[in-house]
Amino acid sequence: QVQLVESGGGLVQPGGSLRLSCAASGFTFSSYVMRWHRQAPGKERELVAFISTFGGTTNYADSVKGRFTISKDNAKNTVFLQMNSLKPEDTAVYYCNARVRGKEYWGQGTQVTISS
C-alpha cells in the first residue's frame, strides 16, 4: 500500500534552516509528481511546492519562493524540502502528498515551529 512518512521537523529560530524528508513506498515513485503542503493553526492547508517526476520542473508558493527548495531522489524514493531563512509565519504542520492512480495520499505530517 502507498505510504508517505515525513521527518525532519522541529523548533528553530527565525532565520534558521530545516530539511524535511518524505520517504515513499508502495508505488513507482519516479513516475509521480510529489508535493509539499502545510497547514498552520486555524488556516487551510496550502500547497508549498511541487516537483515533477524526474525533478525537471519545480514550482513554489509565492510566500516561500527563493527560500525553499524541493528536490527528490528517485533511487531512494524520497522527496525533500530544504527550508532556509525561516520566518515565524512558516510555522505549520508540513505534509507530503502524491496522487497515485487517481487517489490522494498524505503523510502524517511533521511539525515545524519557528520561534525565538
Side-chain angles (χ1 to χ4, degrees):
Q1 69 278 22
V2 174
Q3 285 193 316
L4 301 170
V5 180
E6 301 97 335
S7 61
L11 170 64
V12 297
Q13 294 186 341
S17 297
L18 280 174
R19 190 191 195 206
L20 306 184
S21 300
C22 172
S25 60
F27 64 104
T28 305
F29 181 77
S30 60
S31 297
Y32 291 90
V33 171
M34 296 298 298
R35 298 173 180 83
W36 283 98
H37 297 249
R38 67 185 181 187
Q39 188 164 19
K43 295 189 176 181
E44 293 188 355
R45 191 170 297 189
E46 64 170 346
L47 176 64
V48 174
F50 75 78
I51 187 166
S52 61
T53 54
F54 287 93
T57 300
T58 58
N59 205 355
Y60 300 90
D62 287 343
S63 58
V64 307
K65 215 170 276 186
R67 301 187 298 121
F68 289 13
T69 303
I70 188 171
S71 61
K72 64 184 319 207
D73 185 336
N74 285 338
K76 295 183 179 179
N77 288 0
T78 302
V79 60
F80 304 97
L81 187 67
Q82 178 67 43
M83 307 188 295
N84 299 328
S85 303
L86 284 161
K87 305 175 181 180
E89 51 264 42
D90 295 317
T91 295
V93 179
Y94 284 71
Y95 300 90
C96 70
N97 159 255
R99 184 180 298 132
V100 179
R101 294 182 288 276
K103 184 175 178 180
E104 297 285 348
Y105 291 90
W106 299 87
Q108 81 288 353
T110 186
Q111 176 69 48
V112 170
T113 303
I114 313 305
S115 175
S116 54

